[in-house]
Amino acid sequence: MKKKHTNQEEQRLQVLTDMLTQLHHGVDPNCLQEAFNQHFSGVSAIEIAMMEQKIIYEDDNDITFEDVLKLCNVHARMFEDQVTGHSAVEIEQENHPVQVFKAENMAFRACISRINNIFKALEALNEDDPSRLDFTDGLKRQYQLLGQFEHHYTRKERVFFPLLEKYGYNAPPKVMWAKDDEIRDLFQAALKQVDLLRSKDFTERLATAKLAFADFEYEFKEMIFKEEAILINILAESLSSQDWAKVSEQSDIYGFAIIRPTGTWTSSDEKDDDQHEDTTPLTKNVDQPRKAIIESQRISFPDGAMLISWESKPEFQATESYQQAIIDPDMPLPVGDGFLSINQMRIILDRIPVTLTFINSAGHIQYTNYTLPCQDKTGFPFQYRENCQIGMAAQTLFPASVWKTIHPVFEKLKSGQEKAVSYWFQETSVGGTAMIYVKYQPLFDDDHQFLGIVECVQDIQRFIDIAPGTDRSVKGPDEADLKNKKLTTLVRLEENLTSKQSETIQFSDGYVQVDWYSHHNQLLTRPDQVAIDQPLDLENGYLSLAEFTSLMNTLPFEITYIDENFRFRYFNHVVPYDQMIFKRSPLEIGRDIEFCHPPRLWPKIAQLLDDLKNARLIIQPMSFSSPNFFAHIEYLATFDDQDQFRGVVEAVLDIQDYRNLANTEKHFF
């Protein structure tokens, strides 16, 4: 019996392959409807989607996503009389994402009906009838209302599709997104014709506008059915209650179309069946503040004895339990909405286009992402710190005249009297002239406890120099960038399980050679073993998970990290989700970066990523303006200390405020 079922599946797969091959060679999709209904009646939308996915990724045929798009309408029509709705009670509940999705589609259909009625009314009017203008204005308002389908589509692509991919459905999202983009183009073409109705030749232009809308309407209604007959069925059979709750929570990032839910749907099922990485809440180390650990040993010799005492450094050293353990440096740890290993944190901090210095709550320099050897004064002041400054008091960073200004500022930031304080000024060195922008912000943890202050320094002259009206200007490979490729030193697990340090101690009658071995008795391999305030070795000092997360969320940039396999791993949380220049959803974490973009853009993005991976480009900037912001984006390739590609950091910010500072200064004194 099992063999018969397998043979039936193979037969259906072959029939579907033959049909797609015919479409590939130009056969009219309508000619395949009867045969499709005969072979696939009773077959679920999920089964057909899985077969399409398998065929697309086979190497022995020429079938493309475009061929599958043609077949979409065929199997959607077959389901037209079969879909009876999902039996789960949850999906029928008020504010459930499925109900919101269907309510929007109903509103779209009503809007389309009104538009067609207005077209009929306009056709019945004489060309010189004064009411024609009122009807035209009404038509434009209905188009604007219908245009809110952009929220509907974007929400589908950014919230629904990642979950489909999570459960193994990679082809349907890609195919449907491509169709969405076709519909977007049809709508813009139709809208353009409505804008021309006020010009001469009204009768002719009305006919053209009606025809353009009819082209859009056909494909748009086809998509509505594909969503409700195929997409929603796949989602309903695949998603858990937890998944639907996440969809409801994240939907507001991208907005709603025409109607809004009255609230956020929550699941009554408390069973956690999330298949993402372990997100067990991290504990907080209760041994605060940390104290020095003192141990003594007496060693006897024939002619005397020696007492050896060990005292751990009070700053930056972990508690005894921490000293006996080492964290797997490649283990993903939950950071904000994403997951990063210690090595990936090093990579991001090493590559972001700002200089950061973190001063902890005790007033000591705990971390900086750019250091120079001591006494090396090259570069602009403030842009680099010396590695010997780690652990020193904050006032050692500044001349006495500047500290008089900065110290009261730090106190106000610590107390909450100030949220941030900035300075900017022209600075000239052997490297040229820069506009240095320095910003100080306090860091607080989730319990509103003061963690410290971060100093963020950048040269904003490159933003000021961008010509007005620049739109997506991308520079070519820069030889200077290629020569100065940054290699990030990573933590190697095998090198850190046991470490050795040797010292020679001189006495009047001889000397002692001391070899110190640090033994780590425990390897931490689970995220829940890492306390949220445990210091993590980030090369130029230490940051805990709480400090790293808070620090990243104070940056002027929206930071996104894509790993070496082009998987979306992390984004920071500078502003609320719906206010981001490039909106991100936590549901996209772990997604292949290809699926995070419209199919039409993927060839360009694939080329950019390949150039960055192979070091044909190290930094790729681009800028574009809109009525609300002037965006600047930098794509930064990352490499480790063995010159291996480790992913891409994307940094995005609104540079308009920086550009407004041209020819102004605000000094420390």
Side-chain angles (χ1 to χ4, degrees), residues 293-311:
I293 300 171
I294 301 176
E295 299 178 60
S296 298
Q297 293 286 339
R298 182 183 177 87
I299 302 175
S300 298
F301 296 94
D303 53 351
M306 177 178 292
L307 181 67
I308 299 179
S309 296
W310 165 260
E311 180 177 356

Side-chain angles (χ1 to χ4, degrees), residues 606-625:
Q607 183 61 58
L608 172 61
L609 293 177
D610 189 63
D611 287 342
L612 291 166
K613 179 178 181 178
N614 292 288
R616 290 189 291 270
L617 289 172
I618 300 300
I619 301 174
Q620 179 66 85
M622 77 166 45
S623 302
F624 65 94
S625 58

Side-chain angles (χ1 to χ4, degrees), residues 18 161 165 196 272 283 304 333 364 429 446 450 532 562 668:
D18 291 343
F161 287 178
E165 293 154 16
L196 297 174
D272 186 7
T283 57
L333 299 170
H364 292 89
S429 75
D446 291 339
F450 177 68
I532 199 168
I562 304 158
F668 289 95

Side-chain angles (χ1 to χ4, degrees), residues 354-355 382-383 420-426 434-440 455-461 463 556 657-658 661 668:
V354 292
T355 304
F382 290 101
Q383 283 191 280
V421 177
S422 300
Y423 302 89
W424 59 94
F425 45 84
Q426 292 282 343
M435 173 69 91
I436 301 299
Y437 187 88
V438 186
K439 186 174 185 178
Y440 296 97
E455 175 193 72
C456 179
V457 185
Q458 58 180 324
D459 177 8
I460 63 172
Q461 190 63 50
F463 305 144
D657 288 343
Y658 295 131
L661 298 179
F668 289 95

